[in-house]
């Protein structure tokens, strides 16, 4: 494990080094169905919007065994300079589900929020939005900091489980 977010008393590892199955990606290992993680930070107004931007394999980077696609060379370079700044919270899985103790729930790549994490740093949060259920709307009705705390605790358990798998 390389990075950690420190909350009041919990250290939450955020990234595993080798096991790419842990992240939200395609069968070929492409993160977020090829959506440009940098573009999310550029395409939001007041932290929220309803449109992700697809990247291209022409502009791709492999980072910690996961391939990321970008919509431009500039976005690729921004990611390469500071990849940890752009990685989605909870491996790209649904933030709302994480806050309720459920892990690895798929997301709608056009339903996202850019908002502070427990340390006040802007993060990309993705949400499930299908069959009449938009979990981003539910998230926005709740207390963001409380939901992040709960989701962080669930993610920490997921990271611990995955770490045990990697070490065996």
């Amino acid at each position: 494990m390389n990075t950690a977010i420190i909350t009041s008393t919990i250290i939450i590892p955020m990234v595993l080094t080798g096991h790419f199955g842990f992240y939200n990606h395609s069968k070929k290992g492409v993160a977020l169905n090829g959506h440009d993680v940098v573009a999310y930070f550029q395409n939001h107004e007041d932290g929220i919007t309803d449109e992700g931007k697809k990247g291209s394999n022409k502009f791709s980077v492999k980072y910690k065994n996961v391939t990321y696609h970008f919509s431009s060379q500039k976005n690729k370079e921004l990611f390469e300079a500071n990849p940890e700044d752009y990685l989605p919270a909870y491996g790209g899985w649904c933030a709302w589900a994480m806050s309720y103790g459920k892990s690895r729930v798929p997301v709608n790549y056009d339903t996202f929020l850019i908002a502070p994490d427990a340390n006040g740093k802007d993060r990309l949060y993705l949400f499930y939005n299908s069959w009449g259920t938009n979990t981003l709307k539910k998230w926005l009705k709740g207390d963001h900091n409380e939901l992040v705390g709960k989701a962080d605790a669930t993610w920490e358990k997921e990271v611990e489980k995955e770490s045990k798998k990697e070490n065996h």
Side-chain angles (χ1 to χ4, degrees):
M1 286 172 259
N2 293 351
T3 1
I5 285 184
I6 301 171
T7 60
S8 55
T9 56
I10 303 173
I11 297 176
I12 302 172
M14 293 306 291
V15 180
L16 297 173
T17 56
H19 191 71
F20 84 103
F22 188 61
Y23 300 98
N24 187 347
H25 62 78
S26 70
K27 289 180 183 177
K28 293 183 179 182
V30 177
L32 306 182
N33 198 32
H35 284 76
D36 181 340
V37 293
V38 174
Y40 281 109
F41 288 86
Q42 299 163 337
N43 296 334
H44 72 280
E45 185 176 314
D46 297 326
I48 184 173
T49 190
D50 61 356
E51 188 177 320
K53 188 173 190 177
K54 211 61 159 149
S56 165
N57 63 359
K58 186 168 97 173
F59 307 110
S60 66
V61 172
K62 194 166 194 168
Y63 181 71
K64 298 194 178 182
N65 291 329
V66 178
T67 300
Y68 294 86
H69 287 179
F70 302 94
S71 56
S72 68
Q73 180 65 29
K74 179 183 176 190
N75 284 7
K76 176 185 174 195
E77 290 169 2
L78 286 168
F79 181 83
E80 288 174 315
N82 294 299
E84 298 292 327
D85 287 352
Y86 299 103
L87 296 179
Y90 319 122
W93 301 107
C94 179
W96 175 258
M98 283 285 171
S99 75
Y100 276 84
K102 298 177 182 160
S103 65
R104 302 185 200 191
V105 172
V107 297
N108 176 311
Y109 301 105
D110 292 333
T111 308
F112 69 95
L113 174 68
I114 303 294
D117 63 14
N119 291 326
K121 182 177 178 178
D122 277 352
R123 292 290 309 268
L124 168 61
Y125 297 91
L126 294 157
F127 297 88
Y128 175 85
N129 182 3
S130 187
W131 297 95
T133 302
N134 182 340
T135 59
L136 173 57
K137 288 181 180 179
K138 293 180 179 189
W139 183 279
L140 293 172
K141 288 179 183 176
D143 178 279
H144 176 77
N145 292 329
E146 181 181 327
L147 292 167
V148 165
K150 290 177 179 179
D152 284 353
T154 300
W155 183 243
E156 178 181 15
K157 290 176 189 171
E158 286 297 301
V159 169
E160 285 173 14
K161 279 193 272 183
E162 205 63 33
S163 269
K164 287 177 184 174
K165 284 182 193 176
E166 282 188 349
N167 294 325
H168 287 107

